[in-house]
């Protein structure tokens, strides 16, 4: 496994991030534990979750599954760089109870304690703000974070789904208080969705943040979906089905699959390998539902894409161009 440094921190993290969103809703506890054992055995040490994962009436279930895995011992917790998130309403299902969501100091304090209990650990390595909170002053957010760092309950703070201007605002505010600021941004970024290149990634690079990419296969669209359809191996649904209903998108995905087939490459692995070539990227988040999906993702780390393939991918999925030059006429 290849490693890198998480932003401005001293943490060494694997180039692939194990996303746990499917643990609970789609993958039961026993198989989730097996996947985490396999990931750790392969050298993956960066695990990402969120307090809301499990969803609906089962919010928090995913953190609980990680907690029971840590509780098995074997230095599991010590070997993992653990990231979780705060923002979603964790109050009783169907009740919009005040102060049980967003980034108020009260909710951050409440959410950290609840996550620590579910995760069966005494600290969180990377505590991420899941979304922008337009209602809480940034000074209040940083005051709460600083208190938690002083208490040893979290080590670093990161953002998720933040625009470039918010990354700048948060880090400038932190700097004025003599605080460390954000060390990472978790954003939507893949071959089919490259808008992060305009402002988010440049802002992250300017402030020394690591970039963690979610949905690296764009909801399955970049995972060889057309070929799987033709072979009867998969029935397209959800985001992929909606996207492929657009004839232009379907032609684009077909060209993508044809290019990779020509070079003997698996689409899903190539999409992950492409992200690992991108400036500023710490690593993509992979959310395997099975051990086979994890094995496929691990192969991507060692995959070297040729200049011809990289050029072909840029032609099929053109990026925005360098910022700020791309804004010019």
């Amino acid at each position: 496994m290849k490693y890198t440094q998480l932003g401005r921190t001293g943490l060494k993290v694997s180039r692939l991030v194990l996303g746990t969103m499917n643990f609970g809703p789609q993958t039961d506890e026993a198989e989730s534990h097996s996947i985490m054992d396999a990931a750790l055995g392969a050298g993956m040490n960066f695990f990402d979750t969120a307090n809301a994962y499990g969803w609906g009436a089962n919010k928090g279930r995913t953190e609980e599954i990680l907690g029971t895995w840590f509780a098995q011992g074997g230095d599991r917790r010590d070997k993992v760089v653990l990231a979780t998130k705060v923002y979603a309403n964790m109050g009783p299902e169907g009740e919009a109870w005040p102060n049980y969501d967003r980034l108020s100091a009260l909710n951050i304090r409440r959410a950290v304690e609840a996550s620590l209990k579910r995760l069966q650990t005494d600290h969180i390595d990377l505590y991420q703000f899941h979304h922008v909170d337009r209602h809480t002053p940034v000074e209040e957010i940083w005051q709460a974070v600083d208190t938690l760092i002083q208490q040893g309950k979290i080590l670093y703070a990161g953002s998720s789904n933040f625009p470039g201007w918010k990354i700048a605002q948060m880090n400038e505010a932190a700097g004025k208080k003599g605080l460390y600021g954000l060390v990472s941004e978790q954003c939507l970024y893949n071959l089919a969705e490259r808008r992060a290149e305009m402002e988010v990634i440049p802002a992250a690079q300017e402030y020394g943040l690591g970039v963690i990419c979610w949905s690296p296969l764009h909801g399955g669209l970049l995972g060889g979906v057309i070929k799987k359809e033709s072979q009867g191996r998969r029935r397209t649904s959800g985001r992929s089905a909606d996207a492929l209903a657009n004839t232009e998108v379907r032609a684009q995905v077909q060209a993508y699959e044809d290019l990779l087939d020509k070079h003997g490459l698996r689409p899903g692995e190539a999409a992950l390998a492409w992200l690992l070539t991108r400036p500023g990227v710490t690593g993509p988040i992979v959310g395997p539902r099975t051990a086979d999906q994890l094995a496929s993702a691990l192969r991507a780390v060692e995959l070297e894409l040729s200049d011809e393939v990289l050029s072909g991918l840029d032609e099929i999925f053109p990026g925005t161009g360098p910022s700020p030059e791309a804004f010019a006429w």
Side-chain angles (χ1 to χ4, degrees):
M1 175 60 65
K2 296 178 181 178
Y3 296 88
T4 186
Q5 195 158 317
L6 178 60
R8 296 173 286 112
T9 77
L11 295 174
K12 299 295 183 184
V13 295
S14 50
R15 291 304 310 275
L16 286 184
V17 183
L18 182 68
T20 63
M21 183 183 293
N22 293 316
F23 295 174
Q26 298 190 48
T27 306
D28 65 25
E29 182 168 331
E31 188 167 7
S32 298
H33 284 186
S34 295
I35 290 172
M36 287 188 280
D37 280 334
L40 193 62
M44 289 180 71
N45 73 333
F46 195 4
F47 289 17
D48 176 75
T49 190
N51 62 349
Y53 290 172
W55 310 113
N58 293 314
K59 289 178 293 190
R61 178 59 183 146
T62 303
E63 285 189 334
E64 290 176 349
I65 289 174
L66 269 78
T68 55
W69 182 73
F70 288 139
Q72 294 178 25
D75 295 328
R76 284 174 171 81
R77 178 63 188 94
D78 291 337
K79 292 176 180 177
V80 166
V81 175
L82 175 62
T84 192
K85 308 182 193 74
V86 57
Y87 183 90
N89 193 308
M90 297 297 287
E93 187 65 18
E95 296 183 27
W97 198 251
N99 301 314
Y100 273 79
D101 64 356
R102 305 193 185 186
L103 304 178
S104 69
L106 175 59
N107 188 55
I108 288 175
R109 177 181 177 180
R110 174 184 287 128
V112 164
E113 296 296 343
S115 285
L116 290 173
K117 183 177 181 179
R118 287 189 292 265
L119 291 163
Q120 300 192 47
T121 186
D122 63 354
H123 74 283
I124 295 162
D125 299 304
L126 177 63
Y127 200 52
Q128 301 163 105
F129 310 130
H130 211 157
H131 297 283
V132 169
D133 183 351
R134 301 181 186 276
H135 304 280
T136 303
V138 294
E139 294 80 8
E140 177 179 342
I141 295 171
W142 282 126
Q143 182 181 47
V145 167
D146 186 42
T147 298
L148 293 171
I149 290 174
Q150 296 303 318
Q151 293 173 342
K153 294 178 180 178
I154 69 174
L155 297 184
Y156 302 100
S159 58
S160 179
N161 303 306
F162 275 31
W165 66 265
K166 191 65 178 181
I167 291 172
Q169 181 193 47
M170 291 292 290
N171 272 25
E172 290 297 326
K176 290 177 181 178
K177 295 175 68 68
L179 303 178
Y180 210 54
L182 301 172
V183 302
S184 64
E185 159 60 17
Q186 185 173 140
C187 62
L188 173 62
Y189 183 40
N190 55 56
L191 270 166
E193 176 50 82
R194 297 179 63 171
R195 285 179 291 178
E197 294 174 356
M198 290 290 281
E199 292 189 10
V200 175
I201 293 176
Q205 289 180 290
E206 185 70 21
Y207 284 96
L209 278 63
V211 175
I212 309 164
C213 316
W214 64 268
S215 195
L217 303 188
H218 206 56
L221 197 68
L222 301 173
V225 64
I226 293 178
K227 185 173 184 178
K228 290 175 183 177
E229 265 189 342
S230 67
Q231 296 174 342
R233 293 164 51 200
R234 173 174 176 171
R235 182 178 178 182
T236 306
S237 60
R239 185 189 300 172
S240 294
D242 293 341
L244 290 178
N246 182 309
T247 55
E248 291 183 6
V249 172
R250 190 175 188 91
Q252 192 177 36
V253 174
Q254 185 67 67
Y256 163 73
E257 293 188 17
D258 290 345
L259 170 69
L260 299 179
D261 188 57
K262 173 184 173 183
H263 290 273
L265 299 171
R266 294 183 175 95
E269 294 171 17
L272 292 173
W274 177 83
L275 278 169
L276 292 172
T277 70
R278 303 308 300 163
V281 169
T282 299
I285 299 174
V286 296
R289 296 187 300 274
T290 66
D292 286 344
Q293 290 179 348
L294 174 64
S296 175
L298 289 169
R299 288 193 293 269
V301 179
E302 306 301 328
L303 183 60
E304 298 287 343
L305 300 179
S306 68
D307 290 342
E308 182 181 356
V309 170
L310 290 172
S311 177
L313 292 173
D314 272 336
E315 289 180 10
I316 297 168
F317 299 107
T320 59
S323 176
E325 289 82 1
F327 289 101
W329 289 0

